[in-house]
Amino acid sequence: MANSDSSTNPSLAYDDDPSRRDVILIGAGAFAAIGGAVALWPLIDQMNPDASTLSLASIDVDLAPIDEGQAITVMWRGKPIFIRHRTAKEVEEAKDVKLDDLVDPLARNANLPDDAPATDANRAAADKEPWLVMIGICTHLGCIPKGQAIGDYKGEYGGWFCPCHGSQYDTSGRIRKGPAPENMYIPPYAFTSDTKIKIG
């Protein structure tokens, strides 16, 4: 019968050497981990926003071509931004609304504290009250309300009307009637000159 003692059989001594086996296993595991990371990197990297998206983190808008009573829509971060040059009548109607008559008493203005009341002064552009800049998304189910085009039905309050479920907003973008729970949101923006704003 052959002797199976590792001292007389060098191949058995080689296989049973725990320190050498551990080094090989650790090396193979590290190689596999590095290979896996290299293979996954393109998949992870593709989730980063591309250069065109990053460039839209803020946009500049020239308001000079917008006459009183007109409105435009621009895109910012994939969202429609409603910009309206309100008439003096629209401004006065918005100012005359009592806070107790509002569904949502908060301004929802990213440029003000979260608890700022929904007065027209807190919704309109600071020191430029005819200008209203807001995210044009209904706060009910995310639809885009009508009211930007001249022929659009603007609802009972002369602002915006969401045809999906009947939410109606006033000339300050505040919810007045319908299922929407909150006023339309005001994005972060600032005037960079008398006729230009930067959104974002």
Side-chain angles (χ1 to χ4, degrees), residues 59-68 72 74 83-85 125-128 130-131 133 189-199:
I59 59 170
D60 294 306
V61 182
D62 185 6
L63 305 178
I66 310 169
D67 293 329
E68 187 177 295
I72 65 167
V74 298
I83 302 173
R84 185 184 281 188
H85 189 175
D127 301 321
K128 296 184 184 297
W131 292 103
V133 180
Y189 75 96
F191 273 81
T192 56
S193 74
D194 285 341
T195 60
K196 290 186 178 177
I197 61 170
K198 180 183 282 292
I199 302 172

Side-chain angles (χ1 to χ4, degrees), residues 35-48:
V38 169
L40 284 176
W41 176 248
L43 298 173
I44 295 168
D45 189 48
Q46 71 157 344
M47 292 185 231
N48 288 327

